[in-house]
């Protein structure tokens, strides 16, 4: 697993995870900017990572990043909405 990173020029958060063979693939979230908020438009995992928990680990890193940077997350993507509902410990960063 690589470090979580914000790629502001692409308006994308990204992190790589290893598949069963050890190959690294990305999980990413595209976002729009609204002041100190990030509107999460789409979360996607590379097909080789689906069903293995990488997207959930990515969302954990995204939520921790948002809290550390004092950002609010506004989830529009159904996956992000569902993940944040399942993790009420991050309700303070949801807008």
């Amino acid at each position: 697993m690589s470090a979580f990173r914000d790629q502001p020029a692409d308006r994308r958060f990204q992190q790589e995870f290893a598949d069963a063979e050890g190959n690294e693939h990305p999980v990413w979230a595209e976002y729009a900017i609204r002041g100190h908020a990030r509107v999460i438009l789409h979360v996607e995992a590379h097909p080789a990572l689906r069903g293995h928990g990488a997207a959930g680990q990515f969302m954990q890193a995204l939520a921790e990043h948002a809290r550390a940077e004092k950002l609010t997350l506004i989830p529009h993507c159904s996956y992000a909405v569902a993940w944040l509902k399942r993790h009420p410990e991050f309700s303070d960063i949801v807008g």
Side-chain angles (χ1 to χ4, degrees), residues 72-91:
T72 299
L73 298 180
I74 303 170
H76 279 247
C77 166
S78 60
Y79 182 80
V81 168
W83 192 92
L84 287 163
K85 281 184 180 177
R86 286 192 314 270
H87 294 274
E89 67 272 24
F90 291 109
S91 63

Side-chain angles (χ1 to χ4, degrees), residues 7 11 15 24 27 33 39 43 62 70 72 76 78 81 83 85 90 94:
Q7 299 171 306
R11 293 190 179 178
Q15 189 171 19
E24 296 263 321
V27 178
I33 299 171
V39 181
V43 176
L62 172 54
K70 298 184 178 16
T72 299
H76 279 247
S78 60
V81 168
W83 192 92
K85 281 184 180 177
F90 291 109
V94 178

Side-chain angles (χ1 to χ4, degrees), residues 57-69:
Q57 291 176 53
F58 170 79
M59 286 298 299
Q60 176 84 28
L62 172 54
E64 290 171 357
H65 170 80
R67 185 176 279 155
E69 297 295 318

Side-chain angles (χ1 to χ4, degrees), residues 14-75:
Q14 186 167 314
Q15 189 171 19
E16 280 76 30
F17 295 87
D19 65 14
E21 289 81 38
N23 299 309
E24 296 263 321
H25 301 285
V27 178
W28 67 91
E30 295 170 349
Y31 64 82
I33 299 171
R34 270 195 214 156
H36 289 290
R38 298 298 177 265
V39 181
I40 306 302
L41 303 171
H42 180 72
V43 176
E44 187 166 342
H46 184 279
L49 300 174
R50 293 181 188 155
H52 297 283
Q57 291 176 53
F58 170 79
M59 286 298 299
Q60 176 84 28
L62 172 54
E64 290 171 357
H65 170 80
R67 185 176 279 155
E69 297 295 318
K70 298 184 178 16
L71 297 172
T72 299
L73 298 180
I74 303 170

